[in-house]
Amino acid sequence: MRLIVSHADILLEMKKNKGQIDTAFSVKGFKGWYRGIQCLQTHQTSLAHLNSVTALNNFLSAKSIDEVINESVTQQISKLENEHLMNNRKIMWHLVEVTVCLAKCGKSFRSHDEFSHSFQKGLFKEFVELLSRYDMVLQNHFQNDLKNASYTSNRIQNDIIYSIHSVLLQELKHNIQVRLPLLLMRLVT
């Protein structure tokens, strides 16, 4: 698209030059190079030359149609990747919330038979299925995404538990490092 606009710019600049072009190089000619040099110097400062130089610079600085299309496709892919990333974060946030809730209550996560056709799949899967009935993000995830990437397997549950454990441990260490000197100062005084 930009390439077509550039051609239009050149045509516009050519229309601006109509009637202003020095005929010394195209029609009249000249005898002796000293007159040619004078004509070149006059032409360089003429409005026709300046308009033509501007049109050429505009044309050369314009992006080709391939570059414009590539940039557009790259932006669209980046936007889709960001949307997919945000959607995955929402899904993981729901799964972490379910894990925290079950851990706070001290309930077991899994059952002996967690297949999709079983009656009791374990509290984690049952809770996630319940939430997916009311939450569109989870519902779309379980209906449309890959079946081997549902993030409800026992390994993923263990990974979520371990991640929560790591975060809590880091937070606890940080709190001890910050508060221990204050406690020691209070005991000493």
Side-chain angles (χ1 to χ4, degrees):
M1 183 171 159
R2 182 67 181 145
L3 192 61
I4 295 168
V5 173
S6 297
H7 285 298
D9 289 343
I10 290 174
L11 292 174
L12 181 65
E13 295 298 328
M14 288 174 61
K15 287 180 183 177
K16 288 181 184 177
N17 291 340
K18 191 173 184 177
Q20 298 179 19
I21 298 176
D22 188 5
T23 57
F25 299 105
S26 58
V27 177
K28 291 192 303 185
F30 49 85
K31 293 181 183 176
W33 275 106
Y34 70 94
R35 288 191 180 125
I37 292 172
Q38 285 177 339
C39 288
L40 282 172
Q41 289 173 342
T42 305
H43 175 75
Q44 280 182 334
T45 58
S46 72
L47 189 58
H49 179 75
L50 296 175
N51 286 340
S52 297
V53 168
T54 302
L56 177 64
N57 287 335
N58 288 341
F59 176 74
L60 293 177
S61 66
K63 293 180 180 179
S64 70
I65 192 76
D66 293 340
E67 289 175 316
V68 172
I69 289 173
N70 285 341
E71 285 178 2
S72 175
V73 168
T74 303
Q75 287 175 351
Q76 288 175 349
I77 289 172
S78 177
K79 183 179 177 185
L80 288 174
E81 286 175 348
N82 284 339
E83 287 175 5
H84 188 68
L85 181 68
M86 293 305 293
N87 193 39
N88 283 346
R89 285 183 179 170
K90 288 177 184 176
I91 292 165
M92 286 307 296
W93 181 253
H94 289 302
L95 297 178
V96 167
E97 289 292 314
V98 169
T99 304
V100 168
C101 179
L102 291 175
K104 279 183 178 179
C105 296
K107 300 295 181 184
S108 63
F109 283 61
R110 295 185 282 278
S111 174
H112 296 289
D113 184 15
E114 292 185 343
F115 293 107
S116 60
H117 60 274
S118 65
F119 181 71
Q120 214 303 347
K121 300 173 198 152
L123 287 176
F124 184 83
K125 284 191 175 184
E126 293 288 341
F127 208 159
V128 169
E129 277 186 20
L130 177 67
L131 284 177
S132 68
R133 291 182 199 157
Y134 303 103
D135 184 74
M136 292 305 295
V137 174
L138 283 175
Q139 190 174 40
N140 288 334
H141 172 68
F142 289 118
Q143 288 177 354
N144 302 327
D145 283 353
L146 299 173
K147 298 303 175 203
N148 64 346
S150 65
Y151 307 120
T152 58
S153 70
N154 60 343
R155 290 187 182 118
I156 296 295
Q157 291 174 36
N158 288 338
D159 287 345
I160 293 172
I161 293 168
Y162 181 74
S163 297
I164 292 170
H165 171 264
S166 297
V167 169
L168 288 175
L169 195 60
Q170 286 176 351
E171 212 171 293
L172 186 62
K173 285 180 183 178
H174 175 74
N175 285 339
I176 289 173
Q177 288 173 350
V178 169
R179 294 182 182 169
L180 186 62
L182 295 173
L183 283 170
L184 291 176
M185 285 177 45
R186 286 184 184 167
L187 289 173
V188 171
T189 58

